[in-house]
Amino acid sequence: MTGNPNQDQEIMNMPEMEEESLEIEDIQKIAESQTPAQIAMRRSHIEKMETLMAQLEKDYDAYKAMEEKINQAAQDLTTLKNWYFSPEWLLDYALDEAGAYDGLDRGVLSEDGLYNLFLDYSQLGTDLARASVKLTEPEDKVVEADD
């Protein structure tokens, strides 16, 4: 294990089991034998990883804010669904048919409008659940980002 770029690349591409068998001394030997060009490549790699970390930290705050909005949306959807599936909605629908709510925005009394809204949120929930799995369950194989 010298500073040979091919050998070093092989080390970086080793299957996980073989990587675990590397001793710290082996890594130290590789580090000590790095050429200035190899160190420059590693520095560039560290800069990329630092950029990824900074972006992920920034995004985390946005995701936490989104989580709060999602929790509020879930409460609002529950309120709307409880009303829609109650006799109260039917009463409001009948009153609207009789003209009692003329002049009001009353899209909420549209069965298709509510149904589509509920389906849209259901699909969004499914999509977000799938996306969240990617954060909580790492893939079997770590894929390095394109250079």
Side-chain angles (χ1 to χ4, degrees):
M1 290 185 213
T2 66
N4 181 330
N6 292 332
Q7 265 187 324
D8 293 347
Q9 189 62 38
E10 288 175 22
I11 290 169
M12 299 313 243
N13 292 329
M14 285 180 142
E16 188 174 323
M17 293 295 286
E18 291 180 34
E19 282 183 17
E20 290 176 3
S21 67
L22 283 176
E23 299 292 331
I24 189 68
E25 294 83 17
D26 296 329
I27 301 297
Q28 284 293 344
K29 287 178 187 176
I30 293 168
E32 291 167 3
S33 64
Q34 295 290 290
T35 66
Q38 290 170 316
I39 292 172
M41 286 178 21
R42 297 302 312 156
R43 288 178 61 93
S44 174
H45 182 72
I46 292 300
E47 289 171 348
K48 288 178 186 177
M49 295 301 108
E50 186 66 25
T51 299
L52 286 176
M53 182 177 174
Q55 185 62 51
L56 286 166
E57 288 173 338
K58 179 181 170 186
D59 291 346
Y60 178 81
D61 294 334
Y63 297 145
K64 287 301 285 182
M66 185 187 318
E67 178 187 21
E68 291 175 20
K69 285 184 176 187
I70 289 170
N71 288 335
Q72 183 60 55
Q75 289 176 359
D76 294 345
L77 274 168
T78 298
T79 300
L80 191 57
K81 283 181 178 182
N82 287 341
W83 172 70
Y84 176 67
F85 290 108
S86 75
E88 187 179 2
W89 184 88
L90 290 172
L91 174 61
D92 286 329
Y93 184 82
L95 286 168
D96 182 51
E97 291 290 309
Y101 298 142
D102 288 349
L104 286 178
D105 289 337
R106 53 195 190 280
V108 74
L109 295 172
S110 162
E111 291 181 78
D112 289 343
L114 285 172
Y115 178 79
N116 290 337
L117 181 67
F118 296 153
L119 280 180
D120 288 346
Y121 269 88
S122 179
Q123 184 61 52
L124 178 61
T126 299
D127 294 345
L128 289 172
R130 285 186 186 133
S132 70
V133 167
K134 293 177 182 177
L135 295 175
T136 58
E137 295 180 13
E139 296 188 24
D140 291 343
K141 182 178 179 185
V142 175
V143 179
E144 193 163 322
D146 292 336
D147 289 293

